[in-house]
Amino acid sequence: MQHFNIAVIAGDGIGPEVIGEAVKVLKAIAEKDGRFSFSFTDYPWGCEYYLKTGEMMPKNGLDVLRGYDAILLGAVGYPGVPDHISLRDLLLEIRHGFDQYINLRPVKLLKGAPCPLKGKTPEDINMTFIRENSEGEYAGSGAWLYKDSPEEVVIQNGVFSRKGCERVIRYAYELAKKEGRTLTSISKGNALNYSMVFWDQIFAEVGRDYPEVETHSYLVDAASMFMVTNPRRFEVVVTSNLFGDILTDLGAAISGGMGLAAGANLNPEKKYPSMFEPIHGSAPDIAGKGIANPLASIWTAGQMLSFFGYPEWEDRIVAGIETLLQEKTSLTPDLGGQASTAACGDAMAAILTR
Ligand code: NAD
Ligand code: IPM
Ligand code: MN
């Protein structure tokens, strides 16, 4: 029997509500499957912790997490703590510190999910976004000079290293090759004359090793437009950290909403633990009401099972979500239902174990 030690950072707002359901489902799956088991250890890090201690996690936080097989994260950020502190000192600290350079985000219109685009079916919206997750616009390099003076200057650098670009682009080519799908790079070389020209060059260079992969390259403005007017163009997609952040919220909007959007922060070499999280935030507007949609968190638990070598469980979770979407009886209000977060999680656990 394989045993996995999971660190759980439930975090802020709806984070604990949704991640509790992911843990519930993982326990049910482990019992049903019999080949693996889990132990879950909770870390109460986040904004409340910050208000008590002055830090988002302890100074040795990464050392504490290092020994785990994976991290499950709910959401971070809450009014009362500036977002650039809460997110940089916890979420981004883990992504960067553990070199989780792949952010894998499915953008798939599941059967039964609402879609605001007229006439679009699951065949039209079936993308896998590979977002660069370790550098780029999020590198945190810059300065704030002459603060509070009329000469004030701020500098926020984009950092694009050859190693950083090559590895994420190669990962995307490998995935496209394995799945026999097209690969689209999204960049902005016409305006960002260093970083994105470099990105495009590396996309072409790495592509020479993959003559069998059909590629497309779009500017990010046009890509945003095509995602709405012709989403079928996109299959595997590779893009920079910031563009990937923005485009995957757009992706969520066209494929059922934030409550269904999952994301995996991967260190493919497994030198460090990878982290699994829904892509939504702490949703302060609905926190504490027990109505947050846990399905994105449950799907990300499925991504974790895939990463551990049990992809059939991610498939079963996705199929289970489609069953719920079609039966409509256990959906939360964002999907037009009346079920609570816990009732939705219970229904998923029941489907997966029957
Ligand atoms: P958000 O994703 O929290 O919420 C946007 C909208 O989507 C809200 O109306 C919310 O109610 C809805 N929503 C989100 N998740 C939902 C769910 N599971 N079920 C039902 N409805 C859901 O984005 P925001 O309001 O821009 O950010 C709130 C806080 O979260 C900020 O502090 C932000 O920095 C932080 N944030 C954290 C993460 C993360 O931890 N990964 C991601 C995004 C934002
Ligand atoms: C996401 C979030 C984060 C990001 C924020 C909270 C720093 O929006 O995971 O999409 O921009 O990566
Ligand atoms: Mn985001």
Side-chain angles (χ1 to χ4, degrees):
M1 165 107 81
Q2 235 184 333
H3 187 74
F4 298 107
N5 289 310
I6 312 295
V8 180
I9 305 174
D12 305 314
I14 62 169
E17 302 171 45
V18 293
I19 224 64
E21 301 310 310
V23 169
K24 182 191 281 177
V25 165
L26 282 168
K27 285 180 176 162
I29 287 175
E31 188 157 317
K32 168 91 180 165
D33 185 286
R35 288 173 296 171
F36 50 82
S37 58
F38 297 108
S39 52
F40 299 96
T41 309
D42 288 306
Y43 291 95
W45 303 339
C47 288
E48 260 178 57
Y49 186 87
Y50 177 89
L51 293 173
K52 276 185 243 150
T53 66
E55 43 195 18
M56 290 296 294
M57 66 172 163
K59 292 205 173 40
N60 68 343
L62 291 185
D63 291 325
V64 170
L65 296 173
R66 201 178 301 271
Y68 286 93
D69 295 301
I71 303 160
L72 269 183
L73 182 131
V76 182
Y78 215 70
V81 181
D83 270 349
H84 67 279
I85 294 177
S86 56
L87 275 311
R88 281 221 81 93
D89 290 0
L90 186 52
L91 180 75
L92 296 179
E93 182 73 16
I94 297 171
R95 285 184 188 166
H96 294 173
F98 286 158
D99 206 18
Q100 295 166 346
Y101 62 90
I102 300 297
N103 192 190
L104 185 75
R105 295 185 162 184
V107 173
K108 294 185 201 303
L109 180 63
L110 301 187
K111 287 189 206 113
C115 179
L117 306 180
K118 199 169 71 192
K120 296 293 181 234
T121 65
E123 287 69 47
D124 295 309
I125 303 179
N126 186 2
M127 319 175 194
T128 305
F129 263 78
I130 309 294
R131 166 188 179 194
E132 203 294 318
N133 209 35
S134 66
E135 53 171 32
E137 308 89 341
Y138 280 46
S141 154
W144 198 312
L145 305 173
Y146 320 118
K147 210 167 182 176
D148 301 325
S149 81
E151 286 73 35
E152 198 160 17
V153 175
V154 301
I155 302 165
Q156 186 91 46
N157 295 310
V159 175
F160 290 76
S161 67
R162 175 167 280 280
K163 177 182 163 193
C165 296
E166 275 181 8
R167 63 186 183 176
V168 68
I169 287 172
R170 188 169 292 283
Y171 184 97
Y173 270 107
E174 285 289 336
L175 185 70
K177 178 178 162 182
K178 188 173 113 203
E179 297 188 341
R181 305 172 84 206
T182 64
L183 176 61
T184 297
S185 164
I186 298 179
S187 62
K188 185 70 188 173
N190 55 356
L192 304 181
N193 53 332
Y194 299 112
S195 57
M196 292 291 165
V197 172
F198 185 61
W199 174 280
D200 290 346
Q201 181 189 316
I202 292 181
F203 184 67
E205 272 175 34
V206 175
R208 286 187 210 118
D209 294 339
Y210 301 88
E212 62 276 71
V213 175
E214 180 187 329
T215 61
H216 303 275
S217 210
Y218 296 129
L219 297 161
V220 66
D221 44 357
S224 321
M225 182 267 297
F226 285 137
M227 274 181 71
V228 172
T229 58
N230 189 1
R232 219 181 172 127
R233 282 172 187 251
F234 301 93
E235 296 183 354
V236 179
V237 179
V238 64
T239 190
S240 73
N241 209 331
L242 179 63
F243 294 172
D245 174 45
I246 300 167
L247 292 173
T248 53
D249 263 36
L250 174 57
I254 61 171
S255 58
M258 298 307 287
L260 288 175
N265 305 277
L266 304 179
N267 175 254
E269 293 74 28
K270 304 197 174 175
K271 184 172 173 202
Y272 304 102
S274 292
M275 178 164 67
F276 299 84
E277 53 167 340
I279 83 169
H280 63 70
S282 58
D285 51 339
I286 58 165
K289 297 186 178 153
I291 56 166
N293 187 345
L295 293 173
S297 295
I298 292 170
W299 189 344
T300 200
Q303 291 185 299
M304 185 178 83
L305 289 167
S306 272
F307 193 67
F308 285 163
Y310 301 97
E312 63 274 25
W313 274 112
E314 182 175 0
D315 295 343
R316 288 178 67 171
I317 285 175
V318 170
I321 296 174
E322 290 187 320
T323 303
L324 285 193
L325 287 166
Q326 287 163 306
E327 286 176 358
K328 293 188 193 320
T329 47
S330 305
L331 299 177
T332 46
D334 57 303
L335 289 172
Q338 292 177 341
S340 66
T341 307
C344 180
D346 287 341
M348 267 307 283
I351 286 176
L352 291 167
T353 51
R354 78 183 170 211

